[in-house]
Amino acid sequence: MGEQPIFSTRAHVFQIDPNTKKNWVPTSKHAVTVSYFYDSTRNVYRIISLDGSKAIINSTITPNMTFTKTSQKFGQWADSRANTVYGLGFSSEHHLSKFAEKFQEFKEAARLAKEKSQEKMELTSTPSQESAGGDLQSPLTPESINGTDDERTPDVTQNSEPRPEPTQNALPLSHRQSYREAEAEREREVFHPLVHSPIGRNSRSYADPKRGASSGSPSSAISKHWEAELATLKGNNAKLTAALLESTANVKQWKQQLAAYQEEAERLHKRVTELECVSSQANAVHTHKTELNQTIQELEETLKVKEEEIERLKQEIDNARELQEQRDSLTQKLQEVEIRNKDLEGQLSDLEQRLERSQNEQEAFRNNLKTLLEILDGKIFELSELRDSLAKLLECS
């Protein structure tokens, strides 16, 4: 199945400055996706974040890790394997709390998984340690193979017990064959000492020590036989010891090669994990890209509407400016008209005053004229009377 994302969020990623160990160095220019991954094959939880194709966070959660909230929107944790401290800046306190809860949850799950794996390793390693404990912990000596001097007796039942052999998988093929040949030869000599000895045919002298002691020569022959057996076993023991030492050296070399292979496998596994992370996030990135494209299209449409509205507002502003200019011109004209009206009103008041004066003058002239007419009428009447009197005087005369 590989690794699968089980929780994701977005945050700004930081790392502690390796030189000062105090300042934060941003590893992403903007907020990126930070995900928890679970590897079901190794039962491991990891925090992974990618900035494009570059992994800026690749941290395996261990039981001794601690996520610390340093502010309302910022948290950090130390990764001893990566020899750094990661920091995350969130957009809200809710996102930080959710990330911290998931960190604690997966940390507890990692602790339980580690305990289970340790129990399994103890159960599987206990039988192998019991079977291999007698093989590699005790060195091969003549006493361990043949027993002590007190135990080197012709009793077949004591020597017929099978001895634990060194782990043959730890030996090369040539050493395995030589070890098997030497062990088979040793067993034939131990289990059947009387067949290969020159006194093996005289079973009664071997079975009856009292009779052998009475003759004298069989006892010396038996001691020589066992001395020869001891020399042979010592030689076989030396061969086995040399083979064991050589196999131990080979085991050390193989352990070094195995460690190198494990490191290479771990590096390749991390690379595969990064590639799986990239491939697993490709769909999310594609979806996010599609959403961004849709958002961009919506924003472009909104922008077009806003531009049209801006154009309409510009036209309205131009119309308003024209109306303002017309209003200003009309206001100026109105002011001019008002000024002219004031001038005309002044002229009108002057004319009214002049008219009033002329009317007064005419009235006075009329009054004077009436007076003159009255006087003239009086004079005319007097003249008429004078004429009449003169006429009468003429008639009388």
Side-chain angles (χ1 to χ4, degrees):
M1 294 295 293
E3 285 185 323
Q4 297 294 330
I6 52 181
F7 177 77
S8 297
T9 185
R10 293 185 67 81
H12 292 270
V13 180
F14 300 86
Q15 282 190 12
I16 199 71
D17 191 353
N19 297 323
T20 63
K21 297 295 183 181
K22 294 181 180 180
N23 300 325
W24 289 106
V25 178
T27 56
S28 62
K29 297 180 180 179
H30 50 80
V32 295
T33 301
V34 181
S35 303
Y36 285 99
F37 278 77
Y38 175 64
D39 189 352
S40 58
T41 58
R42 297 191 303 162
N43 204 8
V44 172
Y45 294 88
R46 294 203 299 166
I47 303 174
I48 296 176
S49 178
L50 297 178
D51 188 6
S53 60
K54 179 183 177 183
I56 56 179
I57 296 180
N58 188 1
S59 177
T60 302
I61 299 177
T62 59
N64 57 352
M65 282 186 177
T66 303
F67 185 82
T68 305
K69 297 180 182 179
T70 58
S71 67
Q72 293 182 352
K73 297 182 181 180
F74 192 86
Q76 66 183 38
W77 77 95
D79 190 345
S80 58
R81 295 184 179 180
N83 193 21
T84 187
V85 179
Y86 293 103
L88 296 179
F90 295 88
S91 59
S92 64
E93 186 177 0
H94 173 71
H95 290 86
L96 174 60
S97 301
K98 190 68 175 177
F99 188 87
E101 291 175 1
K102 292 295 182 180
F103 190 96
Q104 187 66 26
E105 177 184 349
F106 299 144
K107 171 186 170 181
E108 185 67 19
R111 184 184 65 81
L112 296 175
K114 184 177 180 181
E115 291 178 355
K116 289 181 181 180
S117 63
Q118 287 178 352
E119 291 177 359
K120 289 182 180 179
M121 290 177 63
E122 289 176 357
L123 292 175
T124 55
S125 62
T126 300
S128 61
Q129 289 178 356
E130 291 178 354
S131 62
D135 299 337
L136 301 178
Q137 291 178 359
S138 61
L140 294 175
T141 59
E143 289 78 12
S144 64
I145 296 177
N146 300 319
T148 60
D149 293 337
D150 296 335
E151 294 174 351
R152 286 196 298 269
T153 60
D155 190 358
V156 178
T157 59
Q158 294 179 0
N159 294 326
S160 62
E161 295 178 359
R163 296 180 180 84
E165 298 179 0
T167 306
Q168 295 182 3
N169 293 330
L171 300 175
L173 182 60
S174 60
H175 296 309
R176 292 181 196 172
Q177 294 176 353
S178 62
Y179 173 78
R180 290 174 181 173
E181 292 175 357
E183 187 67 19
E185 183 179 357
R186 181 180 62 79
E187 290 179 355
R188 286 196 301 270
E189 292 175 353
V190 172
F191 292 142
H192 305 285
L194 299 179
V195 176
H196 298 281
S197 64
I199 61 171
R201 300 178 181 86
N202 192 358
S203 60
R204 287 181 298 176
S205 63
Y206 176 76
D208 190 0
K210 294 181 179 180
R211 293 179 60 183
S214 63
S215 61
S217 59
S219 176
S220 62
I222 290 173
S223 62
K224 290 181 180 179
H225 166 71
W226 286 113
E227 288 177 358
E229 290 290 332
L230 179 59
T232 304
L233 292 174
K234 285 182 178 180
N236 292 334
N237 186 27
K239 292 179 182 178
L240 292 174
T241 303
L244 181 60
L245 292 175
E246 186 176 357
S247 64
T248 303
N250 292 330
V251 167
K252 291 181 180 180
Q253 183 179 1
W254 294 338
K255 284 182 178 179
Q256 294 177 356
Q257 293 178 356
L258 179 61
Y261 293 153
Q262 287 177 348
E263 292 179 357
E264 182 68 17
E266 183 68 19
R267 186 183 65 81
L268 293 175
H269 186 270
K270 288 182 179 179
R271 180 58 180 167
V272 170
T273 303
E274 293 177 358
L275 294 176
E276 288 179 353
C277 179
V278 172
S279 62
S280 63
Q281 289 187 352
N283 294 328
V285 170
H286 181 69
T287 305
H288 185 62
K289 184 178 179 181
T290 304
E291 293 177 355
L292 289 177
N293 290 330
Q294 293 178 356
T295 306
I296 290 171
Q297 290 178 358
E298 293 176 356
L299 291 175
E300 287 179 351
E301 293 176 356
T302 306
L303 182 62
K304 288 180 180 179
V305 174
K306 296 294 182 183
E307 287 179 351
E308 292 177 356
E309 186 176 358
I310 289 170
E311 292 294 332
R312 183 176 59 81
L313 291 175
K314 285 182 178 180
Q315 291 178 0
E316 291 180 356
I317 290 171
D318 293 336
N319 295 330
R321 287 178 180 175
E322 292 178 357
L323 292 174
Q324 184 67 27
E325 291 176 356
Q326 292 178 1
R327 179 176 173 275
D328 293 338
S329 62
L330 291 175
T331 302
Q332 186 176 0
K333 290 179 179 180
L334 180 61
Q335 290 177 355
E336 293 176 355
V337 169
E338 287 179 351
I339 293 170
R340 187 176 179 182
N341 188 19
K342 288 181 180 180
D343 294 336
L344 291 175
E345 286 179 354
Q347 293 177 4
L348 180 60
S349 61
D350 292 337
L351 290 174
E352 287 177 351
Q353 291 176 0
R354 290 172 63 185
L355 179 61
E356 186 176 0
R357 285 196 303 269
S358 63
Q359 287 178 354
N360 292 330
E361 288 176 356
Q362 286 180 3
E363 186 67 23
F365 179 75
R366 284 178 182 175
N367 292 330
N368 292 328
L369 186 59
K370 284 180 180 180
T371 303
L372 290 175
L373 287 175
E374 289 178 356
I375 294 171
L376 184 60
D377 288 337
K379 294 295 182 180
I380 290 172
F381 182 73
E382 289 177 357
L383 288 175
S384 64
E385 286 180 352
L386 180 60
R387 178 180 175 273
D388 290 336
S389 62
L390 287 175
K392 287 177 178 182
L393 288 175
L394 287 175
E395 286 179 359
C396 290
S397 58

